Amino acid sequence: MSIHAIDTARPAPVSDTPVLLGRPVRPEIAPETLSRFGDNRWDLTAGIFEDHSDSTSINFKRLPQPWRDAVKGYLWQLINEDHPRALPSARAGIRCSLRSVSFVKGPIERLIIWALGRGLESFAELDAARLNEYLAHLGDSGVSYGSRQHSVAEVRRLWAYRGLVPPRLAMPDAPPWDDAPARELLGARSDVQPHNRIPRIGDATLVPLFAWAIRFVEEISWDIRPNFGEFRRTIVGGREYRQAGRRLYEAERHQKLTQVLAQLRAAGLGLPGRVLTDGSREIRWAHLARLTGTLGATHAKYDRSVIEASGLQIDDNAYLTPGCAVTVDGIPWHPGSMKYDDALDYARLLHTACYIVIAYLSGMRPGEVLTLTAGCLHHDPERDLWTLTGTRWKGATGPHGGKAEEGATRENPWVVHPLVAQAVTVAEELGDGRLLFPKSIRPKENHPKTRREWVRPGQARTATQVAVDIASFAEWVNSFCRANGRPDTIPNDPDGRITPSRFRRTLAWHIVRRPRGLVAAAIQYGHINVHVTQGYAGNYTSGFPDDLAFEQWLERIDQATDLEAYLDTGGHLSGPAAGELEHRVRGTGKKFAGKILLTGRQARKLLQDPLLQVYPGRGLHCVFDRAKARCITATDDGPDLSGCQPDCSNIARTSPDVEQLHARLARLPDDTLAPPIRHQRTTAIRKSIQSIIEAHQEGTP
C-alpha cells in the first residue's frame, strides 16, 4: 500500500513505514513495537513524553476505502512534516502535537460521511455552495458549538494542505467560506457561561478536603510511613532473596526465624494468621516467609518446633510491627496495629493527600505536579523560601515552532508554602523512585506476573487516576467521620467530582477573593499571594497570571453587579466620587453584560478598562482616578487601600460602607484618663467618622 509522493524530504510512506518516522520516541520503546502506516490503528503514545499522559491512538477502521488510505496519508504528513503549512489567519505554521493530530480525524471523518451521503467522490467538489450546505448540516447535527468550531478549523487546515494531500482530499483553490471568522459562520455561542469553564471547588467541599489532606501529611503520616516502610521491605526482601537464588541453611534460618518471633512479641503481636470458615486459625506461612526471607513451605515442614516453642498465639491476620499511635482529636485514626494487607491502601490515601496539598498550594498544572521528580525540593535559608524545580509542558516550544515533545525545564522554580515542602518530602518517601507520583507505589511482586503486550509507557499517574484517588480519599474520610460522629465530612461538590485541574482554578479564586474563615487563610493565602505571585505567577510562561486576571475580572464584574442591584433597590451613595461611581457601575452593566471571555489574556486586557477601576476598601469604595489619587506614587499601578486619605476625591460610600464605619466608631475607646495627645487624636477620629456618617445619612432617601 502506498500513497502519492508528498512534499517533504522523506519518501512517501508504504505499509511498513513507521507512523512516528519523523518524531522523537521514548527511549524505552522498542522500534519493532511502533505502529506502521498500514495498521488500522495507530498508537501514538510512544511519541508522547509526558509521564502523566493517557494513551493516545487513532482508529481508522470506521473509514471506508479508498478514503481511509487518503486520510492516513494526510495525518501521516501532519505527524512527520518538518515545515507545517500556515492556516488562514495564522501568522505561521505550527507543528501539531501528537495529541492534536489524534483530534483531527474526527472532523475529517464527519465531513467524509456527509460527502458520501451526497454522492461526492472527492473533496474537489466542495465548492462554496457545498461548503455552505455542510455548514448548515453542522448547525442541524446537534453537536456542540465547540465541535462545530473544530470542524470548521479542520476544513481550513485541510484546505491549506490542498496541494500536498492525496487527490481525493484536495479541495478547490478558493478559501473555504472566504476566510470569514468562525463566530460569523456559526453565530454567537450559547453553550458557555461568562466564567471559567473549569469550575472551582466549592468552599463546603474544599475546606474539609484540604483540612484532612493537611492532617494526613502532618499527623497521620507518622503512622502510615513506618508501616508502609515495613510493607515495602517485606516485599522487596522476598524478591531479592528469590532473584539471588539463596538458600538459608538450618542454623541461619532458625536464627532469622527466632529474631522475627522476638520482634513480633516485642510489638505485642502473635503469629501472622487467618481465620478459617469454621472459626479456627492457621498460620499464614507465606507472610512469615516474607519476614524471614525464606519459603513458607520450609517453615511449615521443618520449623514448627521452633514456632511452637515461642509460645506466640496465632493472630486473626498478618499485622505490621510499627503499630498506630496517632489520634485525631483524641480518637485513634486507626485502632491497634495495621494489617499487612491494608498498608498499601493507607499509603495511597497519604499519597493522595500529598497531591492535594501540592496541587492546591502551588498553583501548578496537573501535569507539572505529576511529573515532579525526587530531588525537586530546595530551600533558600537566607530568604527562608522553599522552591520546586520541574518540567513545564504547556507553552514549551521546540525548534520546529510546535510543542516541545520532551517539555522544557522551567527557568524559574515554583515558590511554595512550607506545607508543600512537607508534602513533597512525604511523597518522595512513598514513591521511592524517580517520580513523586508514579503509576503505583506498590513494590514489584515477589513473583512477577507475565507482562502484558502493551503497557502505557508513561510512568506517572494520570489526571484521571488522581481524580479517582481523591474520590477514594473523601470516601475514607467520610466513613471515619460517620463511625466516630464527626461533623467534618467531605460533601460532594455541586459541580461534580474533584479533578486535578480544579485546584489551580480554586487557588486563583482564593488569591483574588481572599475569603476569611478558610483553613489558615490569613497565613497561607497571604503567603501564596505574595510569594507565589512573585515566584510562580510572575512568570507569564506559567499561565497563572492569566488565571489570576480572569478571577480579578470576574470579581470586578460581580462587584459592579452587586452595586447596580444596590442602586436599583434605592441604595444611596455619598462622598466626592459618588456620581462617578454610579456612572461606572451603570456603564459596566451596559458594556460587559453577556460578555464571554475564553482566555485569561482577554481578562488581563479588559482589567485596564476605566469603568472597572473601582476598589472596595474599609468603609469606602475607591473610584480610582490617578490624577486625583492621594495614596500613590508615580510607579504605582493602582490605589494603596491601606493608605487612603480622608480628603481624597476618589472616595465614595454605600450604606454597607457606612455600617463598617459605625462598627469602627463603636470600637474606638472613649478614655478621658488617657494621655492628652492620645485622647485628642481619638476624639478627632471620632468626629471625622461621625461627620462622614451624618453626611451620608443626610442624603439617604
Side-chain angles (χ1 to χ4, degrees), residues 445-458:
E445 298 282 355
N446 287 348
H447 303 284
K449 297 178 181 178
T450 302
R451 182 180 175 86
R452 293 179 296 166
E453 283 188 16
W454 182 89
V455 177
R456 177 174 66 89

Side-chain angles (χ1 to χ4, degrees), residues 303-618:
D303 301 327
R304 287 180 179 269
S305 60
V306 177
I307 295 172
E308 291 173 358
S310 70
L312 292 176
Q313 300 297 313
I314 302 176
D315 283 337
D316 61 352
N317 213 305
Y319 292 96
L320 298 166
T321 60
C324 295
V326 174
T327 61
V328 178
D329 297 329
I331 301 173
W333 79 274
H334 186 284
S337 298
M338 184 181 295
K339 296 177 182 177
Y340 169 85
D341 299 324
D342 293 341
L344 180 60
D345 292 335
Y346 287 123
R348 284 172 177 153
L349 292 175
L350 177 58
H351 207 222
T352 303
C354 292
Y355 180 89
I356 292 170
V357 171
I358 296 171
Y360 179 55
L361 289 185
S362 71
M364 299 166 69
R365 293 186 174 95
E368 294 167 343
V369 179
L370 292 172
T371 54
L372 288 173
T373 57
C376 64
L377 179 66
H378 306 277
H379 183 243
D380 182 347
E382 293 184 3
R383 295 183 295 169
D384 193 25
L385 288 181
W386 292 94
T387 57
L388 294 178
T389 56
T391 303
R392 65 183 180 91
W393 303 97
K394 187 171 183 179
T397 57
H400 43 66
K403 179 178 179 179
E405 288 86 354
E406 300 180 39
T409 301
R410 194 168 184 276
E411 298 83 358
N412 298 317
W414 290 280
V415 181
V416 295
H417 191 277
L419 269 174
V420 175
Q422 190 171 355
V424 168
T425 301
V426 173
E428 280 187 349
E429 181 178 337
L430 294 176
D432 195 29
R434 181 178 68 89
L435 292 166
L436 260 61
F437 297 97
K439 284 181 182 178
S440 174
I441 57 175
R442 191 192 195 286
K444 294 180 180 179
E445 298 282 355
N446 287 348
H447 303 284
K449 297 178 181 178
T450 302
R451 182 180 175 86
R452 293 179 296 166
E453 283 188 16
W454 182 89
V455 177
R456 177 174 66 89
Q459 295 303 303
R461 290 192 78 71
T462 66
T464 302
Q465 290 172 325
V466 172
V468 175
D469 294 339
I470 294 171
S472 299
F473 180 81
E475 183 180 350
W476 183 91
V477 168
N478 291 340
S479 177
F480 177 82
C481 290
R482 286 191 297 268
N484 294 280
R486 294 180 61 90
D488 51 345
T489 57
I490 303 173
N492 292 330
D493 188 83
D495 287 307
R497 69 175 184 167
I498 307 302
T499 56
S501 58
R502 296 181 65 184
F503 288 106
R504 178 180 166 100
R505 160 80 205 281
T506 306
L507 174 65
W509 190 92
H510 280 135
I511 287 177
V512 171
R513 306 296 176 112
R514 299 183 187 87
R516 295 296 180 253
L518 292 180
V519 182
I523 298 175
Q524 291 169 6
Y525 293 137
H527 175 99
I528 294 167
N529 196 14
V530 175
H531 293 298
V532 173
T533 303
Q534 292 176 353
Y536 177 72
N539 187 315
Y540 275 100
T541 59
S542 71
F544 201 69
D546 291 332
D547 288 348
L548 292 176
F550 206 112
E551 294 301 332
Q552 289 169 345
W553 182 78
L554 289 175
E555 182 192 31
R556 304 276 180 89
I557 297 300
D558 288 345
Q559 291 169 357
T561 301
D562 292 342
L563 284 171
E564 188 167 26
Y566 167 78
L567 294 173
D568 289 342
T569 55
H572 170 61
L573 300 176
S574 64
E580 179 62 19
L581 177 58
E582 181 169 4
H583 165 72
R584 294 190 186 184
V585 168
R586 301 295 187 189
T588 298
K590 294 177 182 178
K591 184 171 184 178
F592 296 104
K595 182 74 174 179
I596 295 173
L597 299 187
L598 299 180
T599 68
R601 291 181 178 84
Q602 292 174 312
R604 187 152 39 95
K605 183 177 180 180
L606 289 178
L607 274 175
Q608 307 306 315
D609 193 296
L611 291 175
L612 298 179
Q613 307 311 304
V614 176
Y615 302 86
R618 290 181 295 179

Side-chain angles (χ1 to χ4, degrees), residues 102-175:
S102 71
F103 297 142
V104 172
K105 195 212 77 171
I108 299 301
E109 181 178 2
R110 183 180 295 123
L111 179 59
I112 289 173
I113 293 173
W114 176 85
L116 289 174
R118 280 149 184 79
L120 304 185
E121 296 293 332
S122 72
F123 286 168
E125 302 176 65
L126 289 177
D127 55 18
R130 295 281 191 183
L131 287 173
N132 287 335
E133 289 180 25
Y134 180 62
L135 197 63
H137 165 75
L138 289 176
D140 296 335
S141 64
V143 298
S144 68
Y145 187 96
S147 295
R148 284 179 277 155
Q149 197 173 37
H150 188 202
S151 293
V152 169
E154 292 307 331
V155 169
R156 285 175 164 159
R157 188 196 305 276
L158 185 61
W159 174 84
Y161 284 79
R162 64 194 179 281
L164 305 171
V165 297
R168 189 171 294 274
L169 300 183
M171 296 177 63
D173 288 337

